Amino acid sequence: MMELEKSLEKSLEKSWSNQQNAGLTAYLKKMKGEAREKDRIDYMDSFVSAMGGLIAIIIISFIAVYLGYPMALAPLGASCVIVFGAHKSLLSQPRNVIGGHIISTTSALIIWSIFGKSLFIIGLVLAIVLIIMTFTKTVHPPAAASALVSINSQAGWGFLIPIVIGTLLLVFVSMIYNNLFQTRQYPKHWL
């Protein structure tokens, strides 16, 4: 009976070990990724996107620098890349661009006003704005950058002005510019 128990125990240990190895193998395989199809680059479309981004960021730059918040150009420049380079994407639609930036920046400024600036608060803000953008269906990655820049630069509530104006201008310029081309439509949807 003792031998049977020991044999069963060894069998269970081996089975458990095999399951752990299989789980670890499956976990590591996820990191390998999948084979990628060869992308066909449309150079003309990329050029059209680049020119749209150039026009938008120049206009936004004048406003941000005039208002004294040149640090707003980093997240707004990233938004230009998404809005012009991926104009069909859900992340580039007006609700996401405008709503994401306003919600994220406002949330960050509220948290900063209450708790101040620290590495923990910066991390907490990122987590909170991600949750809020998800719940409000306004996910826009550069908007998280607006939140972090507002805290890290300690710009204060005035930082919200170039963000609001900049996102409205970005959507407006994108709407005018992208719709000049037969193969482009912006926005795909407003809400």
Side-chain angles (χ1 to χ4, degrees):
M1 187 75 163
M2 235 7 198
E3 239 177 78
L4 181 62
E5 284 180 16
K6 284 183 182 182
S7 174
L8 185 58
E9 192 173 301
K10 283 183 183 182
S11 175
L12 286 174
E13 284 177 16
K14 189 173 183 180
S15 174
W16 175 250
S17 177
N18 287 341
Q19 285 177 351
Q20 285 179 324
N21 288 339
L24 180 60
T25 302
Y27 176 73
L28 292 174
K29 274 188 177 181
K30 288 181 181 181
M31 294 178 200
K32 182 180 172 187
E34 297 175 5
R36 186 174 175 181
E37 291 181 27
K38 191 169 185 172
D39 291 337
R40 195 171 104 353
I41 299 172
D42 184 341
Y43 292 102
M44 189 52 140
D45 190 61
S46 295
F47 180 75
V48 168
S49 294
M51 290 302 101
L54 173 68
I55 293 165
I57 200 64
I58 286 173
I59 294 168
I60 293 167
S61 294
F62 281 119
I63 304 291
V65 171
Y66 176 77
L67 292 173
Y69 295 96
M71 68 286 273
L73 295 176
L76 292 172
S79 290
C80 285
V81 171
I82 291 177
V83 168
F84 289 97
H87 60 278
K88 296 176 185 176
S89 166
L90 175 64
L91 301 178
S92 69
Q93 300 307 306
R95 175 189 180 106
N96 296 68
V97 176
I98 298 167
H101 276 286
I102 292 172
I103 289 169
S104 294
T105 305
T106 302
S107 300
L109 289 168
I110 289 169
I111 294 168
W112 174 69
S113 295
I114 296 169
F115 299 106
K117 176 186 167 186
S118 73
L119 293 177
F120 175 76
I121 294 301
I122 290 171
L124 181 65
V125 162
L126 181 66
I128 289 171
V129 299
L130 177 58
I131 290 167
I132 293 171
M133 285 192 293
T134 301
F135 284 146
T136 59
K137 297 180 182 173
T138 58
V139 174
H140 183 67
S146 288
L148 297 182
V149 168
S150 70
I151 290 178
N152 204 37
S153 67
Q154 299 182 16
W157 284 94
F159 184 74
L160 194 55
I161 295 167
I163 293 299
V164 170
I165 294 171
T167 57
L168 292 172
L169 281 171
L170 174 55
V171 167
F172 179 74
V173 169
S174 181
M175 187 174 59
I176 300 300
Y177 179 82
N178 278 319
N179 290 318
L180 291 173
F181 301 91
Q182 192 171 16
T183 58
R184 290 175 170 245
Q185 177 190 348
Y186 185 84
K188 287 288 187 188
H189 50 82
W190 282 93
L191 299 174

